[in-house]
Amino acid sequence: MLLKLILIFFVWSDYIFKYLLVTSNLLFSVLGLVTLVVGLWGLINKESFAQEKISGIGTDPMLLFCFLGLVLALLSLMGCVGALRENMCLLQTFSAAVLLLVAAQVLVAIVLYSLQGQIAEYLRLGMLAAMVRYQDDLDLRFITDEIQTGLQCCGADTYRDWEINVYFNCSAPGVQACGVPPSCCIDPLENGTVWNSQCGVGAQQLDEFSAQSVIFLGGCLGSISRWIEQHSGVIVTVVIILLGLQILTLFITAHLLQKIRWSRAQHDVYLQSLQ
């Protein structure tokens, strides 16, 4: 029975590989289109194409969604159509693009590993820059709030880091002076339902013993490091699976190309025999 199943697999392997490649690329095409639509929705929703905002569109994170979605959709459609139509040109282009992506990901992994001692400093600088522009950039505000709420932290190294922001600086004239964003608060919801934007007012003036009942004291860099350490196994597993899928795609594409070449060679031999 097992031998019969193996023989059936070998007989139908070409069709199995072909439609496996078609199906997987079709799914990734849909994923790419969804990512592209999300990016365009974000740009339109924030009126990024307005005349007064168009100059800053180059730094909009939603533009990255658009780019990644477009590249993923085009690449996957190329592989899908190439496999379905057995088009060697499309399949060779698709294979070369996937190979470049795999090489780029391996290179990025090597660079990150070699610079792991400096990554923390880059993260610190990035977070401090986001804190400076907290009120001026809605995207940075959203990302910062999500990090502080999700990891239950405040600031880069400590909650007092928010003094770097002109609005939260203790010398600022507004009501936010010497405060922190509500995402730093242990309980930012008033009565459990309404977002209390004033819960972090004056928090920087409190000593740590008094502040610990109101806001998170620990910085986000330490929380990010702990989160990575706790989930390092999952991260490595996901990276290996993704790379494995891409390498498997390369092998399937190479097998399909070889089969197409063999079929065409057989067809040419048959035509020559008729002459």
Side-chain angles (χ1 to χ4, degrees):
M1 183 66 181
L2 180 60
L3 181 60
K4 187 177 180 180
L5 289 173
I6 293 173
L7 288 173
I8 291 173
F9 173 78
F10 276 111
V11 170
W12 291 93
S13 61
D14 291 337
Y15 295 98
I16 292 172
F17 287 146
K18 175 180 176 177
Y19 288 103
L20 182 63
L21 192 61
V22 170
T23 304
S24 61
N25 276 295
L26 192 60
L27 292 174
F28 279 109
S29 297
V30 173
L31 178 62
L33 289 173
V34 170
T35 306
L36 176 61
V37 168
V38 168
L40 288 173
W41 174 82
L43 291 173
I44 294 170
N45 191 52
K46 295 187 299 180
E47 299 181 349
S48 298
F49 296 109
Q51 187 174 0
E52 63 274 11
K53 297 182 179 179
I54 195 70
S55 59
I57 197 172
T59 58
D60 197 314
M62 287 299 170
L63 199 63
L64 181 62
F65 276 82
C66 292
F67 176 75
L68 291 177
L70 183 62
V71 170
L72 181 59
L74 289 177
L75 183 60
S76 300
L77 283 172
M78 186 186 301
C80 182
V81 174
L84 195 61
R85 302 290 298 175
E86 296 189 356
N87 186 300
M88 288 188 64
C89 181
L90 287 177
L91 285 174
Q92 287 171 341
T93 306
F94 170 74
S95 182
V98 173
L99 183 61
L100 283 174
L101 282 175
V102 171
Q105 290 168 75
V106 171
L107 183 62
V108 167
I110 293 172
V111 170
L112 288 176
Y113 182 78
S114 62
L115 296 177
Q116 57 183 327
Q118 303 175 40
I119 291 176
E121 186 58 29
Y122 291 144
L123 284 174
R124 176 181 286 104
L125 293 174
M127 182 136 198
L128 290 174
M131 290 164 64
V132 168
R133 299 177 56 194
Y134 180 79
Q135 282 88 352
D136 304 321
D137 192 313
L138 293 178
D139 294 312
L140 289 178
R141 180 190 298 185
F142 173 78
I143 293 170
T144 304
D145 285 342
E146 286 298 307
I147 290 174
Q148 293 192 147
T149 304
L151 297 179
Q152 297 184 345
C153 56
C154 186
D157 297 302
T158 173
Y159 66 99
R160 297 189 189 278
D161 289 337
W162 278 103
E163 191 174 2
I164 197 174
N165 183 281
V166 293
Y167 297 96
F168 293 122
N169 189 284
C170 289
S171 60
V175 68
Q176 292 180 320
C178 264
V180 295
S183 56
C184 283
C185 297
I186 294 174
D187 184 18
L189 299 178
E190 189 174 357
N191 298 324
T193 54
V194 183
W195 184 265
N196 182 10
S197 60
Q198 304 297 317
C199 64
V201 171
Q204 291 185 51
Q205 293 177 320
L206 302 175
D207 56 65
E208 291 190 359
F209 181 78
S210 303
Q212 66 180 351
S213 61
V214 181
I215 62 172
F216 303 117
L217 300 184
C220 292
L221 292 177
S223 297
I224 292 172
S225 298
R226 286 190 294 273
W227 186 90
I228 292 174
E229 289 176 3
Q230 292 169 2
H231 298 84
S232 57
V234 176
I235 294 171
V236 171
T237 303
V238 170
V239 170
I240 291 174
I241 289 173
L242 289 175
L243 276 175
L245 287 173
Q246 293 170 75
I247 293 170
L248 180 62
T249 299
L250 285 173
F251 279 112
I252 293 175
T253 307
H255 176 82
L256 188 55
L257 282 168
Q258 186 178 9
K259 180 251 181 184
I260 295 170
R261 290 191 188 99
W262 182 84
S263 298
R264 290 185 179 181
Q266 292 294 106
H267 181 68
D268 291 340
V269 170
Y270 174 73
L271 290 177
Q272 288 175 5
S273 67
L274 294 177
Q275 294 177 355

